[in-house]
CSV table of all heavy atoms in Angstrom, one decimal:
chain,number,residue,atom,x,y,z
A,1,VAL,N,143.4,10.6,162.1
A,1,VAL,CA,143.6,10.0,163.4
A,1,VAL,C,142.2,10.0,164.1
A,1,VAL,O,141.4,10.8,163.7
A,1,VAL,CB,144.6,10.8,164.3
A,1,VAL,CG1,146.0,10.8,163.7
A,1,VAL,CG2,144.2,12.3,164.5
A,2,PRO,N,142.0,9.0,164.9
A,2,PRO,CA,142.9,8.0,165.4
A,2,PRO,C,143.0,6.7,164.5
A,2,PRO,O,142.2,6.5,163.6
A,2,PRO,CB,142.2,7.5,166.9
A,2,PRO,CG,140.9,7.7,166.6
A,2,PRO,CD,140.6,8.9,165.7
A,3,CYS,N,144.0,5.9,164.9
A,3,CYS,CA,144.1,4.5,164.4
A,3,CYS,C,144.5,3.7,165.3
A,3,CYS,O,145.4,4.0,166.3
A,3,CYS,CB,145.1,4.5,163.2
A,3,CYS,SG,145.4,2.9,162.6
A,4,LEU,N,143.8,2.6,165.6
A,4,LEU,CA,144.1,1.6,166.6
A,4,LEU,C,144.7,0.2,165.9
A,4,LEU,O,144.0,-0.3,165.1
A,4,LEU,CB,143.0,1.2,167.5
A,4,LEU,CG,143.3,0.4,168.7
A,4,LEU,CD1,144.0,1.2,169.8
A,4,LEU,CD2,142.0,-0.3,169.3
A,5,VAL,N,145.8,-0.1,166.3
A,5,VAL,CA,146.3,-1.4,165.8
A,5,VAL,C,146.3,-2.5,167.0
A,5,VAL,O,146.9,-2.3,168.0
A,5,VAL,CB,147.7,-1.3,165.2
A,5,VAL,CG1,148.3,-2.7,164.8
A,5,VAL,CG2,147.8,-0.2,164.1
A,6,ASP,N,145.6,-3.5,166.7
A,6,ASP,CA,145.5,-4.6,167.6
A,6,ASP,C,145.9,-6.0,166.9
A,6,ASP,O,145.2,-6.5,166.2
A,6,ASP,CB,144.1,-4.9,168.2
A,6,ASP,CG,143.9,-6.0,169.2
A,6,ASP,OD1,145.0,-6.3,169.9
A,6,ASP,OD2,142.7,-6.5,169.3
A,7,GLY,N,147.1,-6.4,167.2
A,7,GLY,CA,147.8,-7.6,166.5
A,7,GLY,C,147.7,-7.2,164.9
A,7,GLY,O,148.5,-6.2,164.6
A,8,LYS,N,147.2,-8.0,164.1
A,8,LYS,CA,147.2,-7.7,162.7
A,8,LYS,C,146.1,-6.9,162.2
A,8,LYS,O,145.9,-6.6,160.9
A,8,LYS,CB,147.2,-9.1,161.9
A,8,LYS,CG,148.4,-10.0,162.2
A,8,LYS,CD,148.3,-11.4,161.4
A,8,LYS,CE,149.6,-12.1,161.7
A,8,LYS,NZ,149.5,-13.3,160.9
A,9,ARG,N,145.2,-6.5,163.1
A,9,ARG,CA,144.2,-5.6,162.7
A,9,ARG,C,144.3,-4.2,162.9
A,9,ARG,O,144.6,-3.8,164.1
A,9,ARG,CB,142.9,-6.2,163.6
A,9,ARG,CG,141.6,-5.4,163.2
A,9,ARG,CD,140.3,-6.0,164.0
A,9,ARG,NE,140.0,-7.2,163.4
A,9,ARG,CZ,139.9,-8.4,164.1
A,9,ARG,NH1,140.3,-8.3,165.3
A,9,ARG,NH2,139.5,-9.4,163.5
A,10,ALA,N,144.1,-3.4,161.9
A,10,ALA,CA,144.2,-1.9,162.1
A,10,ALA,C,142.8,-1.3,162.0
A,10,ALA,O,142.1,-1.6,161.0
A,10,ALA,CB,145.1,-1.3,161.1
A,11,LEU,N,142.3,-0.5,162.9
A,11,LEU,CA,140.9,0.1,162.8
A,11,LEU,C,141.0,1.7,162.8
A,11,LEU,O,141.9,2.3,163.4
A,11,LEU,CB,140.2,-0.3,164.2
A,11,LEU,CG,140.1,-1.8,164.3
A,11,LEU,CD1,141.0,-2.3,165.5
A,11,LEU,CD2,138.6,-2.3,164.7
A,12,CYS,N,140.1,2.2,162.2
A,12,CYS,CA,139.9,3.7,162.1
A,12,CYS,C,138.5,4.1,162.5
A,12,CYS,O,137.6,3.3,162.5
A,12,CYS,CB,140.4,4.1,160.7
A,12,CYS,SG,139.7,3.3,159.3
A,13,GLN,N,138.3,5.4,162.5
A,13,GLN,CA,137.1,6.0,163.1
A,13,GLN,C,136.8,5.8,164.5
A,13,GLN,O,136.5,4.5,164.9
A,13,GLN,CB,135.9,5.6,162.1
A,13,GLN,CG,136.0,6.0,160.7
A,13,GLN,CD,136.1,7.5,160.5
A,13,GLN,OE1,135.5,8.4,161.1
A,13,GLN,NE2,137.2,8.0,159.6
A,14,SER,N,136.8,6.7,165.3
A,14,SER,CA,136.7,6.6,166.8
A,14,SER,C,135.5,5.8,167.3
A,14,SER,O,135.7,4.9,168.1
A,14,SER,CB,136.8,7.9,167.5
A,14,SER,OG,135.7,8.8,167.1
A,15,ALA,N,134.3,6.0,166.7
A,15,ALA,CA,133.2,5.3,167.1
A,15,ALA,C,133.3,3.9,166.8
A,15,ALA,O,132.8,3.0,167.7
A,15,ALA,CB,131.9,5.9,166.4
A,16,SER,N,133.7,3.5,165.7
A,16,SER,CA,133.9,2.1,165.4
A,16,SER,C,134.9,1.5,166.2
A,16,SER,O,134.8,0.2,166.7
A,16,SER,CB,134.4,2.0,163.9
A,16,SER,OG,134.6,0.6,163.5
A,17,ILE,N,136.1,2.2,166.6
A,17,ILE,CA,137.0,1.6,167.6
A,17,ILE,C,136.4,1.4,168.9
A,17,ILE,O,136.7,0.3,169.5
A,17,ILE,CB,138.2,2.5,167.6
A,17,ILE,CG1,138.8,2.6,166.3
A,17,ILE,CG2,139.2,2.0,168.6
A,17,ILE,CD1,140.0,3.7,166.1
A,18,LEU,N,135.6,2.3,169.4
A,18,LEU,CA,134.9,2.2,170.7
A,18,LEU,C,134.1,0.9,170.6
A,18,LEU,O,134.1,0.1,171.7
A,18,LEU,CB,134.1,3.4,171.0
A,18,LEU,CG,134.9,4.8,171.4
A,18,LEU,CD1,133.9,5.8,171.6
A,18,LEU,CD2,135.8,4.6,172.4
A,19,GLU,N,133.4,0.7,169.6
A,19,GLU,CA,132.5,-0.5,169.6
A,19,GLU,C,133.3,-1.8,169.6
A,19,GLU,O,132.9,-2.8,170.2
A,19,GLU,CB,131.5,-0.5,168.3
A,19,GLU,CG,130.5,0.6,168.5
A,19,GLU,CD,129.4,0.3,167.4
A,19,GLU,OE1,129.7,-0.2,166.1
A,19,GLU,OE2,128.2,0.6,167.6
A,20,TYR,N,134.4,-1.7,168.8
A,20,TYR,CA,135.3,-2.9,168.8
A,20,TYR,C,135.9,-3.2,170.1
A,20,TYR,O,136.0,-4.4,170.5
A,20,TYR,CB,136.5,-2.5,167.8
A,20,TYR,CG,137.6,-3.6,167.8
A,20,TYR,CD1,137.4,-4.8,167.1
A,20,TYR,CD2,138.8,-3.3,168.5
A,20,TYR,CE1,138.6,-5.8,167.2
A,20,TYR,CE2,139.8,-4.2,168.6
A,20,TYR,CZ,139.7,-5.4,167.9
A,20,TYR,OH,140.7,-6.4,168.1
A,21,LEU,N,136.4,-2.2,170.9
A,21,LEU,CA,136.9,-2.4,172.2
A,21,LEU,C,135.9,-2.9,173.3
A,21,LEU,O,136.2,-3.8,174.0
A,21,LEU,CB,137.5,-1.0,172.8
A,21,LEU,CG,138.7,-0.5,172.1
A,21,LEU,CD1,139.2,0.9,172.5
A,21,LEU,CD2,140.0,-1.5,172.2
A,22,ALA,N,134.7,-2.4,173.1
A,22,ALA,CA,133.6,-2.9,173.9
A,22,ALA,C,133.3,-4.4,173.7
A,22,ALA,O,133.1,-5.1,174.6
A,22,ALA,CB,132.4,-2.0,173.7
A,23,GLU,N,133.4,-4.7,172.4
A,23,GLU,CA,133.1,-6.2,172.0
A,23,GLU,C,134.2,-7.0,172.4
A,23,GLU,O,134.0,-8.1,172.9
A,23,GLU,CB,133.0,-6.2,170.6
A,23,GLU,CG,132.6,-7.6,170.0
A,23,GLU,CD,131.2,-7.9,170.2
A,23,GLU,OE1,130.4,-7.0,170.5
A,23,GLU,OE2,130.9,-9.1,169.9
A,24,ARG,N,135.5,-6.5,172.3
A,24,ARG,CA,136.7,-7.4,172.7
A,24,ARG,C,136.7,-7.6,174.2
A,24,ARG,O,137.2,-8.7,174.7
A,24,ARG,CB,137.9,-6.7,172.1
A,24,ARG,CG,138.2,-6.9,170.7
A,24,ARG,CD,138.7,-8.3,170.3
A,24,ARG,NE,140.2,-8.3,170.5
A,24,ARG,CZ,140.9,-8.8,171.5
A,24,ARG,NH1,140.2,-9.6,172.4
A,24,ARG,NH2,142.2,-8.9,171.5
A,25,THR,N,136.5,-6.5,174.9
A,25,THR,CA,136.7,-6.6,176.4
A,25,THR,C,135.4,-7.0,177.3
A,25,THR,O,135.5,-7.4,178.3
A,25,THR,CB,137.2,-5.2,176.9
A,25,THR,OG1,136.2,-4.3,176.8
A,25,THR,CG2,138.5,-4.8,176.3
A,26,GLY,N,134.2,-6.8,176.5
A,26,GLY,CA,133.0,-7.0,177.3
A,26,GLY,C,132.7,-5.9,178.4
A,26,GLY,O,131.8,-6.0,179.2
A,27,LYS,N,133.4,-4.8,178.2
A,27,LYS,CA,133.2,-3.6,179.2
A,27,LYS,C,132.6,-2.4,178.5
A,27,LYS,O,132.9,-2.2,177.3
A,27,LYS,CB,134.6,-3.2,179.8
A,27,LYS,CG,135.2,-4.4,180.6
A,27,LYS,CD,136.6,-3.9,181.1
A,27,LYS,CE,137.2,-5.1,181.8
A,27,LYS,NZ,138.6,-4.8,182.4
A,28,LEU,N,131.9,-1.7,179.2
A,28,LEU,CA,131.2,-0.4,178.7
A,28,LEU,C,130.3,-0.6,177.4
A,28,LEU,O,130.2,0.3,176.7
A,28,LEU,CB,132.4,0.7,178.4
A,28,LEU,CG,133.2,1.0,179.5
A,28,LEU,CD1,134.3,2.0,179.1
A,28,LEU,CD2,132.4,1.6,180.7
A,29,SER,N,129.9,-1.9,177.3
A,29,SER,CA,129.0,-2.2,176.1
A,29,SER,C,127.6,-2.0,176.2
A,29,SER,O,126.8,-2.0,175.3
A,29,SER,CB,129.4,-3.6,175.7
A,29,SER,OG,129.1,-4.4,176.6
A,30,GLY,N,126.9,-1.9,177.5
A,30,GLY,CA,125.7,-2.1,177.7
A,30,GLY,C,125.2,-3.3,178.2
A,30,GLY,O,125.8,-4.4,177.8
A,31,LYS,N,124.1,-3.4,179.1
A,31,LYS,CA,123.7,-4.6,179.8
A,31,LYS,C,122.8,-5.5,178.9
A,31,LYS,O,122.8,-6.8,179.1
A,31,LYS,CB,123.1,-4.3,181.1
A,31,LYS,CG,123.9,-3.5,182.1
A,31,LYS,CD,125.1,-4.3,182.5
A,31,LYS,CE,125.9,-3.6,183.7
A,31,LYS,NZ,127.1,-4.3,184.0
A,32,SER,N,122.2,-5.0,177.9
A,32,SER,CA,121.3,-5.8,177.1
A,32,SER,C,121.2,-5.3,175.7
A,32,SER,O,122.0,-4.4,175.3
A,32,SER,CB,119.9,-5.5,177.7
A,32,SER,OG,119.4,-4.2,177.5
């Protein structure tokens, strides 16, 4: 754990999931 399922995509490893969420939402990703 954890595992995040978004639609048909399943993601593992928390750091990778955090990067995915930042990319998908455009939030908490850094300004530059």
Side-chain angles (χ1 to χ4, degrees):
V1 292
C3 177
L4 186 78
V5 176
D6 178 29
K8 295 181 179 180
R9 180 179 284 119
L11 303 104
C12 49
Q13 298 299 314
S14 59
S16 179
I17 297 173
L18 292 181
E19 288 193 331
Y20 170 79
L21 292 174
E23 184 77 13
R24 281 281 274 112
T25 64
K27 298 177 180 179
L28 301 178
S29 59
K31 299 296 184 183
S32 66

